[in-house]
Amino acid sequence: GQSLEQPSEVTAVEGAIVQINCTYQTSGFYGLSWYQQHDGGAPTFLSYNALDGLEETGRFSSFLSRSDSYGYLLLQELQMKDSASYFCAVLGNNDMRFGAGTRLTVKP
Amino acid sequence: SQTIHQWPATLVQPVGSPLSLECTVEGTSNPNLYWYRQAAGRGLQLLFYSVGIGQISSEVPQNLSASRPQDRQFILSSKKLLLSDSGFYLCAWTAAGLYGYTFGSGTRLTVV
C-alpha cells in the first residue's frame, strides 16, 4: 500500500522560516509534489522533485531524498498569506496520492 | 491556455437522491483526468482517474461511478447518495507524462 506522513499543524511568525516534512511508503514512485490549499479553495501546485536534491522556486524550496523516502518543503520569509494547508503527494504511474496535509498558521 | 471547469460550486442533496458532477477541460487534448474527494480538514482521496475516453480506473469501493464520454469531459455520478458522500469534490487534469496537476474550483456536496 501507500502512506504519506506529515505533521498536522505548524505555527510560525511572519518573516520566519518553516520546514514541513513528509515521509512516504509507496510502490511505484516517480516523484514528490507539494500543493498549497487555502481555506475553501482548490489545491495549487507548488513544486515537484523527481531526483534527490533541492529545488528552489522563489521563497519556496523543496527537497527529496529517495533513499530515505523523505522530503520537505521549506518556506522562507513567511508572509501572512502563506497561512494555508500544505500537502505532499506521491506521483505514481498515472495517479497522485496525497498526504493528510499540514496546516500552517503564520502569526504577526 | 488550458482551463478546467467544474460545476456546480455547491450542492445540497437528500439521502437517496442521484448525483451528477461534471468537469471539462479546455485548451488541451487527451488529458489525464481525476476525481478526488476531501473531507473537512482532511487530505485528498483519489476516487477515479482516466487516461482516455472510456477508460476509468476506480480506487475505492463506493456507490460512486465515473464516466468519460468525451476526451475532455469527466463525470462523477451516483444513483443513490449516502450521508457519507458529503465532502469537497475536486476534478483535476494533467497532460500525460507531466507532473503538475491543475484542479478545478471544486464542488462542495452536502447530503442531508
Side-chain angles (χ1 to χ4, degrees), chain B residues 3 7 16 21 29 36 38 41 48 57-58 71 91 96:
Chain B
T3 56
W7 66 92
L21 301 180
S29 297
Y36 286 88
Q38 185 176 33
F48 302 93
S57 295
S58 175
D71 180 44
C91 180

Side-chain angles (χ1 to χ4, degrees), chain A residues 65-78:
Chain A
S65 169
R66 295 175 69 116
S67 60
D68 295 323
S69 297
Y70 163 76
Y72 66 72
L73 179 70
L74 190 72
L75 297 85
Q76 303 182 71
E77 301 173 15
L78 282 174

Side-chain angles (χ1 to χ4, degrees), chain A residues 24 29-34 47-56 61-72 91, chain B residues 99:
Chain A
Y24 60 87
F29 177 85
Y30 285 76
L32 187 71
S33 291
W34 289 92
S47 68
Y48 174 73
N49 294 71
L51 303 175
D52 287 359
L54 190 68
E55 295 282 344
E56 298 180 72
S61 303
S62 58
F63 171 83
L64 175 65
S65 169
R66 295 175 69 116
S67 60
D68 295 323
S69 297
Y70 163 76
Y72 66 72
L91 180 66
Chain B
Y99 48 80

